[in-house]
Amino acid sequence: MTLRLVAGATSWDIKAHCAMTILVTGGAGFIGSHVVRRLVQRYRDYTILNLDALTYAGNLENLKDIENAPNYVFLKGNLLDKGCIDDVFGSYSVDGIIHLAAESHVDRSISGPSAFVQTNIQGTVNLLEAARAAWKDGQGKRFYHISTDEVFGSLGQEGRFDENSPYTPNSPYAASKAAADHFVRAYGTTYGLPYIISNCSNNYGPNQFPEKLIPLLINNIVNHEKLPLYGEGKNIRDWLYVEDHAAAIDQVFHQGTIGETYCIGGGNEWENLELARLLCSLMDKKLQHAEGSSEKLITFVGDRPGHDLRYAIDDSKIRRELGWKPSVDFAEGLERTVNWYLQNTRWLSHVTSGAYQEYYEKMYSGRDHRRNTPS
Ligand code: NAD
Ligand code: TYD
């Protein structure tokens, strides 16, 4: 058994006497850490359990400020270990689940899809099974599955994804998330499991592992390394500040309708090249570099296989039904993000030491650096 009580409670057998016990999976990762912090700070009478395997992407430093909160419990455990999940349900009366744990990086899914099948599909099914066994009638319970807009595939220059968009996942990551979404829905239809799903666009902000575009660019600018843009840098993503996603998750969990899907987005589309230029200009100011010096680091490299051209979300349902909308505009969010990475150099050097160097070498050394003059 790998389950272990680490912080925030005095014994493994402690039972929740509070208003609600919520099991968050993947709470030591990027989005999960913002969700956990928000729930711990806003709902003092809840018990927030954070179940996380602490893979390369999980980092307890993300939650240092709340690790001793009396309503917070960290449980180190893997979703692929059924005994561990059973232990959680045996030890706590879980009222709700917010399921974020996943392998989350598209490029890793291209070089090694199996881990994505394991964690994202099998891990989700293991969690669904445990919830089904524990929640006999499901009354008052909710299984909230956090998914991505990537399950809908790629858009052309027009249109946006919404709750009725067909599933056409293109990357192994997207396929594994799509399969998980289908399993969650199937458990609702077949066993009556009370579920909600949300599909969100690209997040950015503090705590994001620097394999993803924005923190990778920040880290490389700091280190005067090339800024690799795939293909022509023309792909478009809809960026949402991570705390806005955490707020949406809080609202959907508490107010969303069982059996419904909610699309969450930033209404903030950026072509990768334009985003990189914006970030370079901001970094030049922050680092007091000559204007235009970071932009010279932009390099176009071999494209990602199956690279989706464009993602964009129509979030009118969550706006209309739950009153949620993004509150942090891109200029403000990027400023906060850059400041965070510049102030948290220890975090950055910790996560980019050792295994990250090997990852970076493997992912980028094989790509042809075609030119470094942005068109
Ligand atoms: P992340 O990679 O930063 O964090 C994932 C967390 O899950 C890590 O803490 C890791 O240790 C944990 N984990 C991985 N495998 C596990 C396992 N087998 N058992 C237990 N824990 C495990 O991911 P993220 O970017 O924070 O994404 C969180 C969720 O949100 C994912 O489900 C992802 O698909 C979804 N999502 C992410 C984005 C985005 O832009 N990052 C956008 C939409 C949806
Ligand atoms: P990423 O942050 O990996 O998110 P996702 O693929 O899930 O959308 O990538 C965002 C965009 O940036 C995507 O179009 C791929 C591109 N990209 C690069 O051009 N260079 C890079 O080094 C990375 C990591 C991504």
Side-chain angles (χ1 to χ4, degrees), residues 105 150 202 211 213 228-230 237 272 304 307 364:
H105 189 39
E150 304 193 25
N202 289 61
E211 63 190 354
L213 181 67
L229 290 187
Y230 300 161
R237 297 293 182 263
N272 290 339
R304 172 188 279 174
H307 196 173
Y364 294 93

Side-chain angles (χ1 to χ4, degrees), residues 95-97 135 140-144 194 196 252-256 258:
D95 300 298
I97 297 171
W135 297 344
K141 313 290 191 196
R142 47 184 56 194
F143 186 111
Y144 179 13
I196 308 183
V252 170
F253 179 79
H254 286 99
Q255 296 155 29
I258 296 294

Side-chain angles (χ1 to χ4, degrees), residues 167-284:
Y167 274 54
T168 38
N170 291 317
S171 70
Y173 164 67
S176 69
K177 292 295 291 186
D181 293 11
H182 291 322
F183 269 104
V184 172
R185 275 200 194 91
Y187 269 65
T189 308
T190 309
Y191 307 114
L193 190 89
Y195 77 87
I196 308 183
I197 298 174
S198 59
N199 298 85
C200 188
S201 63
N202 289 61
N203 285 212
Y204 70 101
N207 300 352
Q208 187 168 32
F209 194 81
E211 63 190 354
K212 307 281 172 33
L213 181 67
I214 289 180
L216 184 140
L217 295 180
I218 295 172
N219 185 43
N220 285 18
I221 292 170
V222 167
N223 293 305
H224 309 286
E225 285 171 21
K226 288 182 173 166
L227 308 177
L229 290 187
Y230 300 161
E232 302 289 323
K234 298 278 184 211
N235 303 71
I236 294 170
R237 297 293 182 263
D238 172 1
W239 294 95
L240 178 68
Y241 191 64
V242 64
E243 287 180 9
D244 276 331
H245 190 192
I249 289 172
D250 180 355
Q251 246 181 297
V252 170
F253 179 79
H254 286 99
Q255 296 155 29
T257 304
I258 296 294
E260 291 285 320
T261 290
Y262 296 87
C263 281
I264 304 169
N268 178 41
E269 292 180 51
W270 283 81
E271 202 177 79
N272 290 339
L273 176 56
E274 290 310 313
L275 166 55
R277 284 178 168 148
L278 180 69
L279 199 50
C280 285
S281 145
L282 180 59
M283 290 293 284
D284 283 345

